[in-house]
Every structure is written in structure tokens, then in C-alpha cells.
Amino acid sequence: MEATPGGASDNVLEELQRYVGFSSDDGEALRELHPIACAHFERIADVFYRRILEHPEARKALEGGESQVGHLKVTLHDWMGSLLLGPWDAAYFERRCRIGRVHVRIHLPQHYMFGAMNLLRQELSAVLEEALRDAPARAARLGRALGKILDLELAIMLHTYREDLLAQAARAERLATFGQLVGSIGHELRNPLGVIETSLFILKGRPAAAEDARVTKHLDRIGEQVEVANHIVTSLLDMIRSRPLVRAPLRLAEVWASALESVPPPGHVRVHTQGLEALPVLEGDAVQLRQVFVNLLQNAVQALGEHEGEVRLTAEVPEDGARRVRLVLEDSGPGLDPAIRARVFEPLMTTKARGLGLGLALVRRILERHGGGIGYAPTGGGPGGARFVVELPLTQEPS
């Protein structure tokens, strides 16, 4: 086993290597196999992605769809090279973990991962057997090493899925605690806020208040802040209660137009839409989906600040047979810091000085209750910019 200092990564890698029985002798055997197999990498990559594109559920997990297959074939070619050449050290382990985390992020079901690895096992084994037909002992030795390294790859992938499972469990526990705390505090705050509102109403009705401009000014400021506090309490309670969805046929173009009326963008922000009018009629709760658009639009406008920029919403029905609509909302602002992207949909996660961090958490909750979802995807080109990808099913499932 080849390893470099890497702390916890080294410990996990060593444990997995022991589990599959991978040794330095196997590493030498894999390097011996490389010149035999490398001439077939391109063909194997073609077979690999042709098989994926034959299955709609696996195909839809490909980021960028068929347009990205050419790039992914090159990536798979490099992956097979490092599979056989190593070194199988901490850096190798971290690279494989990153691949596994991508699979988790795009929600690739584990059985597709097993199927893909089995296809590579079959193709590489067939190459080995054909090339060493007259040297069965050597073929057996190299075959054993190939089996171990592919088992190690699967073990690393499963390790990343386990990481995600533990993270989800921790998140669920945090949300449960958060919900209990919010429910208690939210309802308790309603009482003093109600008293303040009643007292404020009485004071405003006094003749002395109407005659003194300074008193009127301060009473108005108190009223504004009470309204802000009530909005905060309402947002917190919305996060923990499940208001029934009032399902009805709707057009997302009309829902978007209603959101724009509620959050009219300032003059220095241009808003563009594409494909929204062409979407089919969906079924859902127009009021709650309007809140999704309002929150996303507010975030985009706030990201631009005082700078001139644009917000763009594009919509389509992907041609992959998955029966869903996809909406992409982008802004020309600075984008999200990579350090917080993975947690951007968690309650109380915010980068705003006066933000609560509930907007995107509520967006995700509403979309999930509609059978959809949302993800953050960096624009990938040009300076900065945030890009949120929303999906909603064409056929709704009961909440």
C-alpha cells in the first residue's frame, strides 16, 4: 500500500484496503495491466456512456445531459488510467471521495453506481482475458488485482454515501430541535407583540399624539418594527408547520407575474424570462409557489445591491422522459461563497447582516412538498453569479 500523510483520510483508506485485501503486489500487477488495457479505454468509455443514455433515470443524473458526454468520456479515460497506475494514496482517496460526493449531490441511486462499476469490471476483465489467453496464471494474478481495486472503488463510493446519510441524520436532528425551539418562542412572542399593537392603536388615537409630530413619528417607527417582528415570527412558524397544499391547476407564468407584482425590482435591475409561457399547466398551490418565486427574486435583487445587473428566469421541459419542468433562475451578482454552498438551504444559514436565513430553507420545503426540489449550481462561466435550479413534476403526487 502506498500512502502519504493524510490523517483521517489515511486511516479510512488503510481500513478499506485491508478489507478488500489490496497490497503493494496488487499495485504492481495493476501497473502491469495498464499497457494492456489503455488501448481500450476510449472504446470502454463509449460503451459506458451509451449504456447510461439507454436508461432515462440514469441519464437524467448526468449534469448537462448528452452535451456533457464528450467531456465525461475524457474524465472516465483519466479515471481508468489512475485506477491502474495509482498511486493509491490519500490524494487518490480524496479524489475518489469527491467523485462520490458528486454522485450524492446529483442524487444518483446507489444501484446505478453498482451497475456502472460492474460494466467496467466486465469490460476490463474481457480485455485482460483476451490479451493473456496463453498465460492463464498471469491473467489470474492481474485479474485478482483488478477485482480488488474495483472493490476498493466501490467501498470508497459507499463511504461517501454513508457520509451523506450521517449528515442527513444530523440535519434532521437539528431541524427537530430547531422546530421545537421555534414553536415555543414563536407562540410566546405573539402575546407581547399583540399587547404592543393594541397599546399602539390606543396611543395613536389620542389627540395629543396627532398634534405632536415627533410623537407621531416615533409611534410610526414602533409600528414598523412591530410589523417586522411579526413577519419574523410568521417566517419562523412557517418553517415548522405544514400548511395543507391547496392544489389546483396553475400556470407558472401567472405565478411568476404575481411574484413580480409583490417584489417589483428596482430600476437598475433588468428581469428577463424565457420559456415560461410555453410550460404546460401544472397542479399545485399557487400561493405557496408564489412564495418560492418571491424569496428567490428577493435574494437575486439583494445580491445585486446597488449595482446594475440582471435576473434571468428560463424554463423548459427536459427531453429525457422524466416528466418534470426545470426552472433556472440566475443573477449577475457575486454568487455564493463555495464554503457555504452546501449549507445554503439550511435554516438560519445566511450571509446577510440582517437576514434570518429562512428564505431558501422555506423554498426547499415548499418545493419538496410539491414533489420537486431545488439545487445551487454555479454559473461556470463569466464573473460570479448565482444560479438556482428548480424542478417540479408534471404529475403531482399527494403531499
Side-chain angles (χ1 to χ4, degrees):
M1 178 184 67
E2 302 178 34
T4 57
S9 296
D10 271 348
N11 293 336
V12 175
L13 177 61
E14 289 173 5
E15 179 184 347
L16 295 178
Q17 286 177 328
R18 282 195 299 271
Y19 181 74
V20 302
F22 187 82
S23 67
S24 57
D25 289 340
D26 295 308
E28 291 303 318
L30 292 176
R31 292 193 178 100
E32 191 177 331
L33 174 58
H34 181 267
I36 298 172
C38 65
H40 298 268
F41 285 173
E42 185 173 344
R43 177 188 60 78
I44 293 173
D46 288 338
V47 172
F48 183 86
Y49 282 104
R50 186 165 63 246
R51 183 73 60 84
I52 287 179
L53 294 174
E54 289 173 355
H55 296 274
E57 285 298 314
R59 181 176 61 202
K60 77 176 184 180
L62 288 179
E63 293 185 312
E66 294 187 40
S67 63
Q68 286 292 311
V69 167
H71 169 73
L72 292 172
K73 285 181 180 178
V74 174
T75 301
L76 180 59
H77 191 291
D78 294 341
W79 180 89
M80 287 186 283
S82 62
L83 178 79
L84 301 181
L85 289 177
W88 303 275
D89 54 12
Y92 167 90
F93 176 77
E94 289 300 331
R95 287 195 302 272
R96 275 8 191 198
C97 283
R98 283 197 296 271
I99 295 173
R101 291 183 191 113
V102 170
H103 292 166
V104 169
R105 178 169 56 80
I106 64 177
H107 306 295
L108 180 70
Q110 291 188 41
H111 61 271
Y112 285 113
M113 179 186 67
F114 278 92
M117 199 66 71
N118 188 55
L119 175 62
L120 294 172
R121 189 187 302 268
Q122 291 175 351
E123 292 294 327
L124 289 170
S125 296
V127 168
L128 173 60
E129 292 171 7
E130 178 63 27
L132 299 180
R133 188 181 299 274
D134 297 329
R138 184 185 178 204
R141 179 171 59 87
L142 300 192
R144 285 193 297 271
L146 176 63
K148 290 179 182 180
I149 194 60
L150 290 174
D151 287 344
L152 180 62
E153 290 282 341
L154 275 175
I156 294 173
M157 296 292 178
L158 289 174
H159 172 73
T160 60
Y161 274 84
R162 178 177 177 274
E163 282 182 334
D164 180 66
L165 182 64
L166 293 175
Q168 287 185 25
R171 174 175 169 267
E173 184 176 347
R174 289 197 304 272
L175 286 178
T177 304
F178 171 76
Q180 294 170 0
L181 180 64
V182 164
S184 174
I185 294 176
H187 289 295
E188 290 297 326
L189 283 177
R190 287 294 195 199
N191 293 328
L193 286 174
V195 172
I196 294 172
E197 284 183 300
T198 302
S199 299
L200 192 61
F201 177 79
I202 294 172
L203 289 173
K204 282 185 174 182
R206 296 290 179 90
E211 294 170 2
D212 191 328
R214 290 178 302 174
V215 171
T216 301
K217 176 184 176 182
H218 285 291
L219 290 176
D220 288 341
R221 290 180 64 184
I222 293 172
E224 290 171 1
Q225 294 307 308
V226 169
E227 186 177 341
V228 169
N230 269 320
H231 174 71
I232 291 172
V233 172
T234 299
S235 297
L236 287 168
L237 293 176
D238 280 345
M239 272 300 305
I240 63 170
R241 63 189 177 196
S242 296
R243 288 183 296 168
L245 297 181
V246 181
R247 295 187 182 276
L250 58 84
R251 288 195 173 276
L252 287 180
E254 296 174 359
V255 179
W256 172 254
S258 177
L260 280 175
E261 290 179 3
S262 177
V263 190
H268 64 279
V269 176
R270 302 179 301 278
V271 178
H272 305 283
T273 62
Q274 179 181 340
L276 208 55
E277 294 287 349
L279 290 180
V281 173
L282 301 182
E283 185 181 89
D285 188 319
V287 174
Q288 294 196 36
L289 289 176
R290 174 180 169 274
Q291 189 65 50
V292 167
F293 284 139
V294 165
N295 289 6
L296 291 175
L297 188 57
Q298 284 178 332
N299 279 357
V301 170
Q302 290 170 4
L304 292 170
E306 300 299 320
H307 302 287
E308 184 173 339
E310 68 175 27
V311 177
R312 180 178 297 274
L313 178 68
T314 57
E316 65 172 348
V317 179
E319 297 180 357
D320 58 7
R323 291 194 56 75
R324 70 194 189 285
V325 299
R326 178 184 294 148
L327 308 169
V328 179
L329 190 137
E330 302 173 271
D331 65 63
S332 56
L336 291 180
D337 187 322
I340 69 165
R341 288 174 186 170
R343 300 180 56 204
V344 71
F345 298 105
E346 293 183 8
L348 307 183
M349 182 63 197
T350 182
T351 58
K352 301 172 187 174
R354 300 183 63 183
L356 275 179
L358 295 175
L360 288 176
L362 186 57
V363 163
R364 180 171 67 175
R365 181 174 174 79
I366 292 172
L367 290 171
E368 288 178 347
R369 296 188 66 226
H370 277 81
I374 184 171
Y376 179 80
T379 55
R387 182 172 182 262
F388 291 93
V389 180
V390 172
E391 292 193 342
L392 284 166
L394 286 173
T395 304
Q396 301 285 357
E397 297 295 333
S399 171

